[in-house]
Amino acid sequence: MVLRRSIPASFFGMVLGLVGLGSNWRNASHLWGVPPVIGEAIMTVAFVVWAVLITCYAMKWIGHREAAFEEARHPVQCCFIGLVPASTALMAVVLAPHAHGLALLALVVGGAGHVLFSVWRVGDMLQGGREMTTVTPVIYLPSVAGNFITSIAAGTLGYPSWGLLFLGAGVFAWLSLESVIVNRLFHAQALPVPLRPTLGIQLAPPVVAVAAWLANTQGAPELMVQATWGYGLLQLFLMIRLLPWIMQQPFAPSYWGFTFGLTALSGTAIAMTSRGLTGAIADLAPALFVVTNVTLAVIIIGTIVRAAQDKLLPPAAPSQVTAVPTTK
């Protein structure tokens, strides 16, 4: 199947969701005493998925080069390419407890790749000529998501001075882009049905920012960090409100766009509770942990079913390759 059809870059969103779920269980093992092996098993699966995808994506540039270039030129799908270096940097979090040297290598390679791609992609967008209807939450990926993930990886490996630089870059990129995206969603035509699941990415920036802050600091979280988490909770409620509208698109790999934000929302609640935080966030942490696991289970099962039906990857036709991450 891999040889006949190419892997869309959006598939790397699966890695983000799986690492986020593994981090939830790692944090839960410290706070609630759940078996640590569960978190490590999920992290192992995340690493295997990343390794398979990175191999298949390299093969795409060798055996399906026209499809790769078409994806890179697409006004929406191009931004998913930012997940390739970002997910590589995220392997530092997976490997940190087991192989510090390899984790550092993943951080350096992934972080450098993120910076290069982000500067190239955002630099292109700053030159104008972009149709308003192509503005979606996917544009967060090259600058916001990559910066936050690199910040988390740097802080996890003990380089908070670097982590805070990436955190600052991610925060201000998020604040500047959110107004653009919300303006488009308010005033332009509705998102096409196949693109609606990508709205789940809107949940991620505030809570992944909190995760990046926690990775690079110690002690009880600041009030502004808790307030930022609250904005992420609001985004969750908005996504729930929009689910009937979003789910006009039958299950597709694009639903993985919900997973990194959702796992960050619950994971940071657990992490802040572990640091001694009490009150609303600590009270919500157990329920959010359950919701996260149930949601991820549904998405994982849906993905396996689609793979068994041979409907996970796009058709072989180059003209259809870039559309698959958001099509039925």
Side-chain angles (χ1 to χ4, degrees), residues 195-290:
L195 280 175
R196 289 179 188 175
T198 64
L199 198 59
I201 298 171
Q202 193 75 15
L203 168 60
V207 288
V208 181
V210 171
W213 175 267
L214 293 173
N216 289 281
T217 61
Q218 297 179 354
E222 304 286 345
L223 292 179
M224 186 54 67
V225 175
Q226 298 177 49
T228 303
W229 187 93
Y231 183 63
L233 184 63
L234 172 63
Q235 295 300 311
L236 175 62
F237 292 149
L238 287 172
M239 293 304 106
I240 294 172
R241 157 68 178 84
L242 291 170
L243 268 182
W245 180 73
I246 293 171
M247 291 179 66
Q248 292 177 19
Q249 165 62 39
F251 182 82
S254 51
Y255 278 89
W256 280 90
F258 284 90
T259 61
F260 196 45
L262 183 59
T263 57
L265 182 70
S266 55
T268 50
I270 298 169
M272 287 189 281
T273 304
S274 297
R275 292 193 182 190
L277 185 67
T278 59
I281 295 177
D283 293 341
L284 289 168
L288 287 171
F289 181 64
V290 172

Side-chain angles (χ1 to χ4, degrees), residues 145-218:
N147 278 315
F148 285 156
I149 288 171
T150 306
S151 175
I152 292 169
T156 300
L157 293 184
Y159 300 99
S161 62
W162 286 98
L164 291 174
L165 294 182
F166 283 100
L167 172 61
V171 166
F172 288 103
W174 161 42
L175 295 178
S176 62
L177 289 176
E178 174 142 342
S179 60
V180 176
I181 294 168
V182 171
N183 180 65
R184 176 262 185 268
L185 295 173
F186 277 4
H187 299 294
Q189 68 187 60
L191 282 175
V193 172
L195 280 175
R196 289 179 188 175
T198 64
L199 198 59
I201 298 171
Q202 193 75 15
L203 168 60
V207 288
V208 181
V210 171
W213 175 267
L214 293 173
N216 289 281
T217 61
Q218 297 179 354

Side-chain angles (χ1 to χ4, degrees), residues 4-6 67 70 314-322 324:
R4 291 188 292 111
R5 292 175 285 176
S6 60
E70 186 176 348
S319 62
Q320 299 178 10
V321 170
T322 58
V324 164

Side-chain angles (χ1 to χ4, degrees), residues 111-137:
H114 152 67
V115 171
L116 290 173
F117 179 77
S118 177
V119 170
W120 172 75
R121 181 64 254 166
V122 177
D124 264 7
M125 291 191 289
L126 289 174
Q127 295 176 48
R130 187 180 183 92
E131 291 291 333
M132 179 62 75
T133 53
T134 65
V135 175
T136 73

